[in-house]
Amino acid sequence: LSQMLPRDRSLPPLVFHWIPWFGSAAQYGQDPVEFFKSCREKHGNVFTFILLGRRVTVTLGPKGNDFVFGGKHTVVAAEEVYGPLTTPVFGKDVVYDCPNEVLMEQKKFVKVSLTTDKFRDYIGMVDDEVTQFLSTDPAFRTYQMDDINEWGSFSVYKTLAEMTILTAARTLQGKEIRENMTKGFAELYADLDHGLTPLHWMFSNLPLPSYRKRDVAHEKMSQFYQNILRNRRNNNVGYEDDVMASLMNQTYRDGRPIPDHEIAHMMIALLMAGQHTSSSTTSWVLLHLADRPDIAEQLYQEQVKHFGLPGGGFREMTYDELKKLPILDAVIRETLRCHAPIHSIMRYIRDDLPVPQSLGAPSEDSVYVVPKGYTVLASPALSQMDPLIWKDANTWDTTRWLDAAGMAAQAKREYDEDTKVDFGFGLVSKGTESPYLPFGAGRHRCIGEQFAIVQIGTIISTIVRKIEMRLEGPFPKPDYSSMMVVPQQPCQIAYRRRKFD
Ligand code: HEM
């Protein structure tokens, strides 16, 4: 009833709901993007909805993205929103369990170990892992039989989740982690992962088995990494080339070395942050390629043109060549446009915050204010698929990223002014006011972007070289039930071995 009374005009409009506290949780949980679109029709670009007791103000469009990503961190803070979910999984004193300035230093520590030279080495390692996987995993029995006329089938999300963790372990995580990728490690990982659900986000601690398992798994995982650190120190083993070694050698601005438990927790955070984001993206890419064999053929021919050997087969890919492949670039970009793995970017409001007029207050002299204690939410997932911004927004169309000659549309590429590194695939975008932000923007922007593009690009290229794919059944819908958007299960892809791989 209170919703029908005249409201305070300075507050953003409230989305109607029947059940107090529960609010619009069902509509949001089922399909957030459609929910936002329907609210926009009624209320415009700014509105508040109730989500399990929280008041969440959504700000849509490029200006809405800017409002959240570009907000001052002292007012628009990530810690309060994400901390209760991530701290029990990542561990103490890192990411959202430390002041934002410390997180910024931690991100820099990791960034310095993700150099172009490392990426050059990673291409071969990722290719090797994927090749191994196809040659040994039971789902690829038909591939292993060498019969190019026989079709087999694999479960796409399950397969890509495994390939992602194996390739991340081999590259980012370090030698010991890859060697210990046993059943025990997989179980620990799964228990941690099951601690990253909407339920765990709402209630950070409940007397339920999944919470106990999460806490036990965190403790074991943390000790596992700390043992590796101790062993490396005791045996003076450098492995100078990996992230862990780089973290062991760096110090905070005040001269303090990074304690072992923080290094361990940063490594866990990196493992978790890159897993569903990358595996979901690669799964969607393969699903689209299976659905569009013509594009898969273009991608294959691009590989033949650049890396094909005269008698058939391929030579190794290199980082410098891989980053200049326009079809691969367009396929990844377009997939991230249509399937942003993170649909809601949230921040906690620490102080009353006026919303810019341009975002949709009804008149010149009325300004919305988001009150302290609210959560604000931006959704690049919506702006990336918004028919008001993109032509044929709902169609997966790689040509939108290519010019008439089939080359990467250079105007859409950007260049990182800070590091002077051309990240090749050109996904880097520095501004916070953009409709296309699959990796976020501003202070909390993704540091794994370039790594993810190398990993995803190499996995796809290796697979496309080796197999042809067709979709089995209808194209899967997005599953919004976990914190990341993944393809609804079951989803299978039929494949057969190519003549030359
Ligand atoms: C932050 C997306 C892969 C590590 C983010 C954010 C987005 C994102 C949207 C911003 C979150 C926010 O503002 O609240 C993605 C996508 C990926 C990917 C789409 C792959 C396709 C990775 C990988 C790693 C990683 C592989 C690690 C190696 C991080 C970290 C942050 C971040 C550390 C910073 C969190 C913060 O400052 O609050 N990512 N990510 N991501 N990502 Fe990624």
Side-chain angles (χ1 to χ4, degrees), residues 69 78 82 95-96 103-104 107 110 114 172 269-271 273-275 277-278 281 336 340-342 344-347 437-441 443-449 451-453 455-456:
F69 285 118
Y82 298 147
V95 192
Y96 306 116
L103 169 61
M104 294 304 115
K107 287 174 78 171
V110 176
L114 296 175
L172 270 191
L270 292 179
L271 184 72
Q275 179 58 21
T277 42
S278 291
T281 306
L336 281 166
I342 304 177
S344 296
I345 304 286
M346 298 200 214
R347 304 283 186 265
L437 294 171
F439 292 97
R443 297 177 78 80
H444 289 282
R445 190 163 163 277
C446 188
I447 48 165
E449 170 175 355
F451 171 77
I453 298 298
Q455 183 187 33
I456 293 167

Side-chain angles (χ1 to χ4, degrees), residues 44-322:
N45 277 328
V46 186
F47 50 85
T48 299
F49 73 100
I50 304 293
L51 176 64
L52 309 166
R54 286 170 201 247
R55 287 181 176 261
V56 182
T57 298
V58 180
T59 60
L60 296 177
K63 288 199 187 310
N65 291 343
D66 182 46
F67 182 68
V68 173
F69 285 118
K72 266 200 187 149
H73 77 278
T74 44
V75 181
V76 179
E79 298 90 296
E80 283 92 335
V81 187
Y82 298 147
L85 174 74
T86 55
T87 301
V89 174
F90 301 168
K92 290 239 146 284
D93 300 327
V94 301
V95 192
Y96 306 116
D97 190 52
C98 58
N100 185 263
E101 291 73 15
V102 177
L103 169 61
M104 294 304 115
E105 281 201 70
Q106 294 175 347
K107 287 174 78 171
K108 281 212 183 94
F109 294 148
V110 176
K111 257 180 136 176
V112 300
S113 64
L114 296 175
T115 58
T116 307
D117 275 349
K118 297 271 168 52
F119 296 149
R120 292 208 166 93
D121 294 342
Y122 288 173
I123 304 266
M125 295 180 190
V126 173
D127 183 346
D128 193 43
E129 286 290 337
V130 176
T131 303
Q132 275 277 331
F133 192 93
L134 294 177
S135 312
T136 52
D137 191 84
F140 290 92
R141 207 167 294 119
T142 318
Y143 174 82
Q144 292 145 22
M145 287 181 335
D146 259 0
D147 186 346
I148 61 162
N149 294 315
E150 194 69 35
W151 287 82
S153 151
F154 65 95
S155 161
V156 62
Y157 190 62
K158 179 176 174 293
T159 300
L160 268 305
E162 288 176 28
M163 281 184 187
T164 304
I165 200 163
L166 288 170
T167 51
R170 173 83 176 263
T171 52
L172 270 191
Q173 292 281 323
K175 194 169 179 288
E176 299 93 329
I177 303 292
R178 178 62 188 93
E179 282 167 0
N180 280 287
M181 278 277 157
T182 54
K183 197 161 166 270
F185 188 91
E187 280 166 7
L188 279 188
Y189 171 81
D191 286 347
L192 271 187
D193 193 42
H194 295 149
L196 288 173
T197 70
L199 181 73
H200 294 79
W201 178 60
M202 275 154 41
F203 307 105
S204 144
N205 274 305
L206 287 177
L208 292 176
S210 72
Y211 287 78
R212 266 196 307 281
K213 282 186 176 172
R214 172 197 68 185
D215 295 343
V216 171
H218 168 73
E219 197 40 48
K220 286 192 178 158
M221 196 74 115
S222 174
Q223 286 309 324
F224 178 58
Y225 280 100
Q226 291 187 57
N227 283 340
I228 296 174
L229 290 163
R230 268 192 295 275
N231 271 339
R232 285 188 177 197
R233 280 213 182 81
N234 293 343
N235 302 319
N236 218 1
V237 181
Y239 300 122
E240 308 89 45
D241 257 1
D242 65 20
V243 177
M244 211 189 281
S246 159
L247 293 175
M248 287 166 77
N249 290 326
Q250 297 186 68
T251 52
Y252 283 105
R253 262 198 298 270
D254 61 8
R256 189 169 61 92
I258 313 172
D260 278 6
H261 78 279
E262 289 188 20
I263 299 182
H265 298 170
M266 280 186 231
M267 296 304 294
I268 298 175
L270 292 179
L271 184 72
M272 308 306 289
Q275 179 58 21
H276 292 294
T277 42
S278 291
S279 55
S280 154
T281 306
T282 322
S283 298
W284 288 116
V285 167
L286 291 193
L287 285 162
H288 280 292
L289 295 179
D291 189 39
R292 289 284 307 272
D294 56 325
I295 308 290
E297 184 58 23
Q298 286 178 16
L299 210 48
Y300 179 71
Q301 290 306 333
E302 188 174 65
Q303 288 289 316
V304 172
K305 181 171 155 203
H306 290 267
F307 309 105
L309 296 171
F314 296 92
R315 68 175 169 82
E316 275 185 10
M317 293 171 264
T318 67
Y319 173 73
D320 301 272
E321 290 166 302
L322 198 72

